[in-house]
Amino acid sequence: MSFWQQDSHKESKVYAGFRAESSPALQGMTVETRLPDTPTRSRPRSPIVSAEPFFVELDRFQGPLDLLLHLIRAQDIDIFDIPIARITKQFLAAINVGLDDMQLERAGEFLETAASLVRIKAQLLLPRPERLEWEEDPRAELVRRLLEYEHFQDVVHVLQRAEAQRGRHFGKGFVEARPMAVDTRQTLQLTLAELLEAATRIPEAPPPIRVRPPSTGVTVEEKVSLIRRLFEKAKRISFKRLFGPWGTRAHAAAALLAALEMAKQQMIRIEQTVPFAPIWLFSRLPDAADAPDEQQP
Amino acid sequence: MTPEQIVEATLFASQTPLTSAEIARADEGLTTGAVDQAIASLRDAYEAADRAFQIYELGDGYQVLTRPEFAPYLERFDSVPRAPYLSSAALETLAIIVYRQPIGRIEIEEVRGVSATSVLRTLADWELIEVVGRGEGLGRPLLYGTTTRFLDHFGMKDLAELPPPEELPVVLAELQEAFDLGTSGETAPADGAVGVE
């Protein structure tokens, strides 16, 4: 009960902190502003009160139902006759303060309840030509949930008492308190000159890593023509030579595909004597027959 | 060696509650009935001698614990092993589970108005609750119930030590009656639709 003052100025304090203009959900909505127990005409606005709008620490509440129940109980409102407009205003004002810092899921839970409050109000306002026999008060569902929640709050208190009681019994496993940790902190003692000298000994930042510019794409056709060009000068060429100078996987892949394709078309022969040995491409093109051997790269 | 002494030795050496059956394993001559009898006479003896400890019933087991009046002395030692007090969220969730078990996550969330996923995981990690089955509904939801560890944590012999659940709806029903009479009068249904349970 830190913010709901328990004195006779309760109502005025509650309303002094309420900022209707900051509740967009309320704007454009016809709300019931004159409840018999609500000060409407001249809300006392003492400078002290208006200077400190009340803050509901949302962290203190388990959720929207907890907050709602608190608003109702702290103001001695009859739970079976909840002034929805007033409670909605207070609820929105309360969550407005903390909503921005809240986690999305938690905020959603509060907003969902705010929405159902507004819905209930709308249902109450809707003109009904005749009240059906089975129709229940739009607030009934909310009251049911609040009562159920409150019921479990009683259980929580029972459990809390039991837990505290149990905490006063100790079982085996009692051990001596650890010795106090020795304070090993020491004040750093050095002169400015020493500090600066130490600073100069910090090695220079390593040279920036050179980033290879993104390679332009290479096509299998380009590799095929490269192989053809190389075979004009040599009978056999090292596979590595087809991509080595570029050093990228794209070139290696393109070279491999080109070589395989040409081998399939009987244009070249691929040889490797043992696994992991250098791969050699031999030309089977007729015009390369008398070209000299390429030297080992 | 009397049965009392054997039972006393077993309980003295244990850091967790022991059931009668577990204690009876200490000696071929012991039966669970004899163990219960021995514990009763030990309890009387401790009581008569005004010992600082007593044998308490936790869940279905027994454990030697200090009497509560010595807590202020023991609490001065920060290394006394004790269970951390549960958070409000954890207590709230447990309150619902203990009275509604077996119960699924959705039903818990309906009562609390907030998500219960993480708190359920925590409670299960601490072995205060466990999955006791699967519901009939969509996706066969997991149903949770309280454990023996729960009884130990709250110092209970069994769940009957809690206020009987049937008493709580009675209180709520009275409130409900007031609601029916207070606002909607004769238009509100007398049964079913506004009922709590």
Side-chain angles (χ1 to χ4, degrees):
Chain A
M1 303 280 167
S2 63
F3 57 92
W4 293 104
Q5 308 299 318
Q6 295 300 301
D7 55 37
S8 56
H9 298 97
K10 185 168 69 183
E11 286 296 313
S12 62
K13 293 204 174 181
V14 166
Y15 274 87
F18 168 59
R19 295 173 297 168
E21 67 280 357
S22 61
S23 307
L26 276 181
Q27 285 170 2
M29 175 191 143
T30 321
V31 289
E32 192 177 304
T33 51
R34 276 160 207 277
L35 285 156
D37 54 343
T38 310
T40 49
R41 264 180 298 278
S42 57
R43 286 175 196 160
R45 281 187 177 274
S46 80
I48 303 161
V49 168
S50 58
E52 38 175 6
F54 77 82
F55 282 98
V56 175
E57 292 168 49
L58 283 179
D59 290 348
R60 288 177 54 239
F61 294 97
Q62 282 305 306
L65 290 175
D66 201 8
L67 172 60
L68 211 49
L69 202 58
H70 180 80
L71 290 174
I72 289 165
R73 290 307 186 202
Q75 297 177 94
D76 285 334
I77 291 172
D78 179 7
I79 197 163
F80 298 111
D81 193 15
I82 302 171
I84 293 291
R86 172 171 147 203
I87 287 294
T88 308
K89 277 185 190 173
Q90 293 174 350
F91 186 85
L92 288 171
I95 66 172
N96 235 326
V97 179
L99 210 55
D100 290 341
D101 307 324
M102 229 187 272
Q103 283 184 327
L104 194 60
E105 190 184 10
R106 190 165 150 82
E109 288 158 353
F110 279 94
L111 286 175
E112 188 190 344
T113 302
S116 60
L117 280 172
V118 174
R119 184 175 48 80
I120 291 169
K121 187 62 213 168
Q123 282 177 350
L124 287 171
L125 288 172
L126 277 178
R128 295 285 171 103
E130 56 197 74
R131 243 182 128 76
L132 294 170
E133 192 65 25
W134 47 265
E135 203 175 33
E136 68 173 1
D137 193 309
R139 297 174 293 183
E141 169 66 22
L142 178 68
V143 172
R144 192 156 53 229
R145 289 192 66 191
L146 283 172
L147 286 176
E148 189 181 41
Y149 185 78
E150 194 171 46
H151 154 73
F152 281 113
Q153 291 304 305
D154 294 343
V155 180
V156 165
H157 291 135
V158 171
L159 290 181
Q160 247 166 351
R161 268 200 297 275
E163 186 182 44
Q165 206 58 44
R166 172 65 180 88
R168 290 168 63 78
H169 294 276
F170 294 90
K172 285 250 308 172
F174 180 82
V175 281
E176 291 263 341
R178 288 182 297 273
M180 294 281 282
V182 184
D183 192 357
T184 52
R185 281 175 301 174
Q186 281 187 338
T187 322
L188 191 61
Q189 287 181 333
L190 81 172
T191 63
L192 180 63
E194 284 169 333
L195 180 67
L196 289 174
E197 202 231 301
T200 58
R201 271 188 271 141
I202 297 172
E204 272 182 41
I209 300 161
R210 291 217 184 85
V211 181
R212 202 188 290 271
S215 68
T216 49
V218 58
T219 62
V220 178
E221 286 70 29
E222 280 170 25
K223 287 296 173 195
V224 171
S225 61
L226 173 69
I227 294 169
R228 282 181 180 281
R229 265 188 284 116
L230 289 172
F231 276 134
E232 285 167 12
K233 290 181 278 179
K235 260 200 305 196
R236 62 166 203 176
I237 51 174
S238 161
F239 178 63
K240 209 174 171 185
R241 196 171 160 191
L242 300 176
F243 61 90
W246 295 273
T248 69
R249 289 182 195 174
H251 278 269
L256 178 67
L257 288 174
L260 290 174
E261 181 60 30
M262 289 178 82
K264 188 181 159 198
Q265 293 181 17
Q266 308 280 313
M267 293 153 81
I268 60 166
R269 189 161 48 85
I270 304 172
E271 263 185 25
Q272 185 182 29
T273 48
V274 288
F276 304 109
I279 298 167
W280 290 96
L281 309 184
F282 293 88
S283 173
R284 300 178 75 172
L285 299 169
D287 56 342
D290 47 10
D293 262 19
E294 193 208 24
Q295 294 306 302
Q296 182 95 14
Chain B
M1 229 75 83
T2 66
E4 278 85 0
Q5 285 175 308
I6 298 169
V7 171
E8 187 174 38
T10 317
L11 283 174
F12 177 80
S14 174
Q15 292 189 14
T16 52
L18 293 175
T19 64
S20 309
E22 283 168 333
I23 298 170
R25 280 169 45 200
D27 185 72
E28 284 74 20
L30 276 179
T31 61
T32 55
V35 168
D36 290 336
Q37 218 174 348
I39 284 169
S41 65
L42 282 172
R43 286 179 58 92
D44 291 344
Y46 294 161
E47 190 70 45
D50 212 14
R51 303 311 305 243
F53 49 84
Q54 185 52 281
I55 300 171
Y56 291 93
E57 284 182 73
L58 298 167
D60 50 359
Y62 298 96
Q63 191 177 3
V64 176
L65 300 174
T66 60
R67 289 176 187 274
E69 53 265 39
F70 296 98
Y73 303 100
L74 300 177
E75 277 161 357
R76 289 194 177 183
F77 301 89
D78 62 354
S79 49
V80 171
R82 69 187 112 177
Y85 287 132
L86 296 172
S87 70
S88 306
L91 281 171
E92 220 175 88
T93 310
L94 277 177
I96 298 163
I97 293 173
V98 74
Y99 275 107
R100 292 271 173 89
Q101 57 185 318
I103 184 173
R105 179 178 56 83
I106 304 293
E107 289 76 39
I108 296 167
E109 288 175 351
E110 266 168 19
V111 176
R112 291 188 64 215
V114 295
S115 164
T117 313
S118 64
V119 72
L120 280 175
R121 197 182 311 128
T122 310
L123 290 173
D125 283 349
W126 291 346
E127 294 173 9
L128 292 169
I129 60 166
E130 62 189 355
V131 174
V132 293
R134 278 179 175 272
E136 288 301 315
L138 189 68
R140 308 269 292 147
L142 297 174
L143 298 179
Y144 297 92
T146 55
T147 59
T148 315
R149 201 50 208 88
F150 170 89
L151 294 171
D152 185 2
H153 184 87
F154 292 99
M156 281 183 256
K157 185 184 167 191
D158 53 50
L159 292 174
E161 285 181 39
L162 282 167
E166 59 270 16
E167 267 180 30
L168 295 157
V170 170
V171 178
L172 283 173
E174 282 168 10
L175 293 169
Q176 195 59 52
E177 245 177 67
F179 174 74
D180 291 346
L181 298 173
T183 56
S184 356
E186 65 275 4
T187 59
D191 61 325
V194 211
V196 174
E197 287 293 320

